[in-house]
Amino acid sequence: MRVIFMGTPDFAAPVLTEIAAHGHDIAAVYTRAPKPAGRRGLETLPSPIAVAATKLGLPVFTPASLRTAEAASLFASHKADVAVVVAYGLILPKAILDAPAKGCLNLHASLLPRWRGAAPIQRAIMAGDRETGVAVMRMDETLDTGPVALTERVPIGPEMTAGELHDELSRLGACLMTRALDLLGRGALIFTPQAETGVIYAEKISKAEALIDWSRDANDVHNLVRGLSPFPGAAFLADFGKGAERIKVLSGRVIEAQGPAGTILDDELTVACGHDALRLSEVQRAGKAPMQAADFLRGARLTRGMRLGASASSGHSH
């Protein structure tokens, strides 16, 4: 089949590679424009999809918008049977959705209609979901509402992080999308409307949300840590004498222990939560590499009885 591929982040790269490996004719690859990179933002960094497409020798397009007549006519000129969209990052207007003969297929990282929207992988873990998956759907003009053709379920283990789940869903999604294209080519891809019930939106993660509230149950804090690891990272503020510093927590485990919320309970960086406690295993200071809690404690003067806050004005508990 003649395909236009539209995607931007790492998540989409295995899908593009797999479609190419299956011998589909990829007429064009659309991705977001390069981002400013480096300290001063002078260099630009092409998206992971631009890098993958260039390796495969495919033509890359980076329009700032698809809403112009010019963008629509260029898109139509590729004469594609189908567009495959994976975390592209731009809304597709009707002229674009209608251009490919067999429509636009989207790979979404959840079991729709649960977790429509921007951050389905993080939200599933943050909510303590036991399973999630990937879905192939036909796109329509509203966000993640189109009918679904194929899904693949994945259990979410109790220690699984967003990074691990991202890689697993990306790999499964690549196989699922190639299966969808094969079925579509044979006229055998069947779509079912999404259920009206169980609709939940996966809003973008805000910076404020990533700050740990130690008054919450340790399981909730653990889910927040897993759901935001490795990026953007759940964090607490600590003051080492130079003002508040944001420390990311990349992993930890729930421990049965009690104390005032946010208090360090021992010499192993176990922090009391509203119920039970979280022993921090791996943390990361700003601008530094991730490190084990024991190594972090050697350099950071955090001692038993100190109170960590979402706001760092806490210091010692009285």
Side-chain angles (χ1 to χ4, degrees), residues 17-287:
T17 308
E18 193 73 7
I19 291 171
H22 270 75
H24 293 287
D25 171 20
I26 301 172
V29 173
Y30 278 67
T31 189
R32 297 298 299 273
K35 278 196 164 138
R39 286 241 161 126
R40 295 158 66 190
L42 298 178
E43 305 139 58
T44 56
L45 203 60
S47 76
I49 283 299
V51 173
T54 305
K55 272 188 192 156
L56 292 165
L58 300 169
V60 176
F61 298 86
T62 57
S65 161
L66 294 170
R67 295 190 178 280
T68 64
E70 190 186 15
S73 108
L74 175 63
F75 194 85
S77 74
H78 302 306
K79 298 197 173 6
D81 296 315
V82 62
V84 169
V85 184
V86 187
Y88 173 47
L90 283 183
I91 300 291
L92 307 193
K94 191 165 168 30
I96 298 289
L97 291 170
D98 291 347
K102 295 178 189 293
C104 299
L105 295 184
N106 176 236
L107 181 74
H108 185 74
S110 81
L111 297 172
L112 292 164
R114 188 170 176 80
W115 304 126
R116 290 176 180 167
I121 295 174
Q122 292 95 331
R123 293 286 175 199
I125 295 180
M126 287 163 68
D129 290 4
R130 297 287 175 83
E131 72 163 1
T132 186
V134 277
V136 172
M137 66 168 188
R138 187 168 59 221
M139 295 176 76
D140 56 22
E141 281 182 273
T142 43
L143 182 71
D144 300 337
T145 53
V148 173
L150 301 176
T151 56
E152 185 87 54
R153 292 173 178 272
V154 175
I156 301 176
E159 301 300 324
M160 193 176 219
T161 64
E164 290 161 351
L165 182 56
H166 165 284
D167 294 353
E168 172 81 349
L169 292 176
S170 174
R171 195 177 54 74
L172 282 171
C175 301
L176 200 66
M177 185 55 84
T178 50
R179 214 169 93 210
L181 289 177
D182 293 344
L183 288 167
L184 186 68
R186 301 205 301 271
L189 192 63
I190 312 295
F191 292 91
T192 309
Q194 289 184 35
E196 301 285 318
T197 55
V199 175
I200 299 186
Y201 279 89
E203 307 289 343
K204 264 183 154 159
I205 309 291
S206 71
K207 200 164 180 184
E209 238 183 324
L211 268 186
I212 296 170
D213 175 0
W214 298 108
S215 69
R216 292 175 65 187
D217 185 289
N219 278 311
D220 292 344
V221 176
H222 185 228
N223 290 340
L224 179 77
V225 166
R226 295 189 303 124
L228 299 183
S229 176
F231 184 82
F236 64 87
L237 299 175
D239 193 338
F240 303 123
K242 295 182 184 165
E245 185 183 329
R246 198 179 173 106
I247 312 289
K248 286 185 189 180
V249 181
L250 299 177
S251 66
R253 59 194 172 96
V254 176
I255 301 285
E256 282 184 33
Q258 299 300 333
T263 304
I264 299 174
L265 297 178
D266 58 18
D267 301 329
E268 295 187 72
L269 209 50
T270 304
V271 185
C273 299
H275 177 73
D276 285 337
L278 192 72
R279 180 165 293 162
L280 312 188
S281 314
E282 193 181 15
V283 297
Q284 185 173 16
R285 293 179 74 163

